[in-house]
Amino acid sequence: MPILPMFPLGTALLPGAGLPLHVFEPRYQQLVHDCMAAPDGPRFGVVLIARGREVGGGEQRNDVGTVARILLDTEIGNGRHILECVAEERIRVVSWLPDDPYPRAEVEAWPDTGSGPVDLSPLLGSLERLYDLLDRLTEGNAPPPPSPSELPDDPGERLFAIARHVPMGEADRYAVLSTPGPAERLEVLTESVATAIDLASWKLQN
């Protein structure tokens, strides 16, 4: 099984999302150096921290994550880096290896399971309602939701793309990431959008 450098973060990174990073800890400076020299490209795994902090080590980590690819590496002095990354495929951690000097893990790809056709029409309708509320809350400054023509054709990727535009907490985002396939993802995401609508409605009324 492939071994990947791992970067535990306070963010559940969804496939297709952008990831800007400011790297200043020595262990992760070494991770960047090793990634940039890797023969299969500058890639590392990202998992959500279950408990603890991003800085200092000793955190507890979730085991479902995403591969991030470094698109741009800018050194800003004293060994620090500003990275622009993009999330690629989803992965599961099979086993954690010793942090030497940064986290590493044996991982396996986790593609979606097949679930047959899924009807996204109700979800897209709810997303329009949510963004109408957000637009009113921000006095017209809410960014528009993605149009259906901008979304991927694959149902699983389409749902990940929609999820990137839904305001939700990291635990909910991790629940979306951890769904086996499109049918389960649709159920979780529909509930997240409904929760966001309720919250936005309450804020407007109060």
Side-chain angles (χ1 to χ4, degrees), residues 163-174:
R164 297 199 301 268
H165 294 273
V166 176
M168 67 178 88
E170 295 306 328
D172 291 335
R173 203 174 301 278
Y174 183 74

Side-chain angles (χ1 to χ4, degrees), residues 12-176:
L13 184 64
L14 298 177
L19 177 66
L21 282 177
H22 176 199
V23 179
F24 55 89
E25 280 193 89
R27 57 179 178 154
Y28 291 124
Q29 293 174 3
Q30 184 64 48
L31 179 150
V32 172
H33 179 272
D34 293 348
C35 283
M36 297 307 293
D40 57 346
R43 303 163 76 242
F44 58 90
V46 174
V47 292
L48 175 67
I49 294 173
R51 183 176 298 173
R53 301 172 62 244
E54 292 183 354
V55 179
E59 71 281 341
Q60 295 181 19
R61 307 157 185 164
N62 286 295
D63 288 334
V64 176
T66 316
V67 174
R69 180 177 295 275
I70 300 172
L71 301 179
L72 181 64
D73 170 22
T74 304
E75 296 189 43
I76 58 174
N78 297 322
R80 294 178 299 155
H81 298 256
I82 297 294
L83 303 181
E84 294 293 336
C85 312
V86 64
E88 297 185 332
E89 71 266 27
R90 185 172 58 161
I91 54 173
R92 286 188 289 203
V93 172
V94 177
S95 64
W96 288 97
L97 305 177
D99 292 11
D100 186 21
Y102 48 76
R104 298 177 303 135
E106 290 184 334
V107 303
E108 63 181 4
W110 188 19
D112 277 346
T113 58
S115 59
V118 291
D119 182 8
L120 304 186
S121 301
L123 175 62
L124 293 174
S126 296
L127 191 66
E128 287 185 11
R129 183 184 173 201
L130 171 61
Y131 269 82
D132 177 65
L133 293 168
L134 295 176
D135 198 54
R136 291 159 61 190
L137 272 173
T138 60
E139 299 181 346
N141 291 317
S147 67
S149 63
E150 297 174 320
L151 296 170
D153 293 330
D154 176 81
E157 293 179 10
R158 196 174 181 90
L159 286 163
F160 277 138
I162 292 171
R164 297 199 301 268
H165 294 273
V166 176
M168 67 178 88
E170 295 306 328
D172 291 335
R173 203 174 301 278
Y174 183 74
V176 171

